[in-house]
Amino acid sequence: MKPSNIGGQAVMEGIMMRHKDKYSIAVRRPDKEIEVKVEDYKCIFGKARIWRKPIIRGMVSFIDSLVTGTKCLMYSAEIAGDEEDEEETRKNAALSSGRIGSQEEKRGQGI
């Protein structure tokens, strides 16, 4: 069987997949739609010959994966965070209306 050389990682409410010179992120939005983002992949260290040495290549690959993974995770958190912001706004609105109503009742009762 021929290897596919496709790798990936889980992100908040989605997944990131990478293959050679492209990577994509699929994230579920608060309205349950899937948002897909495809971008070109470029190593942050460039293509110098020094980066091809075995030990150095591993360290560079590790750091590059961390940077790319963090960038994808932050993007997915931004999309998934919209849902939390909407829920928090609704809860705050409900609490505010409940507090205002109870304060008016207390004033009306002379408390």
Side-chain angles (χ1 to χ4, degrees), residues 27-102:
V27 181
R28 186 185 322 266
R29 292 193 330 223
D31 62 356
K32 306 298 183 208
E33 294 290 319
I34 304 292
E35 182 168 326
V36 178
K37 178 181 173 182
V38 179
E39 289 193 5
D40 291 331
Y41 169 75
K42 294 178 186 163
C43 180
I44 60 172
F45 293 101
K47 293 189 177 189
R49 284 185 70 101
I50 187 75
W51 306 132
R52 296 182 192 157
K53 303 289 183 195
I55 301 289
I56 297 172
R57 181 177 65 218
M59 290 187 300
V60 167
S61 179
F62 177 70
I63 293 169
D64 193 44
S65 294
L66 280 175
V67 170
T68 303
T70 303
K71 189 166 99 172
C72 292
L73 190 58
M74 296 303 288
Y75 172 76
S76 69
E78 181 181 314
I79 300 297
D82 291 343
E83 177 181 352
E84 293 172 6
D85 291 342
E86 290 174 7
E87 289 176 7
E88 189 174 318
T89 302
R90 278 187 259 138
K91 286 179 185 177
N92 287 341
L95 289 174
S96 296
S97 64
R99 287 181 186 158
I100 292 171
S102 63

Side-chain angles (χ1 to χ4, degrees), residues 4-41:
S4 66
N5 295 329
I6 297 174
Q9 74 177 47
V11 295
M12 295 179 73
E13 293 291 325
I15 188 165
M16 182 273 288
M17 300 295 290
R18 183 173 84 84
H19 181 268
K20 292 187 182 181
D21 61 345
K22 294 220 183 262
Y23 69 92
S24 62
I25 311 165
V27 181
R28 186 185 322 266
R29 292 193 330 223
D31 62 356
K32 306 298 183 208
E33 294 290 319
I34 304 292
E35 182 168 326
V36 178
K37 178 181 173 182
V38 179
E39 289 193 5
D40 291 331
Y41 169 75

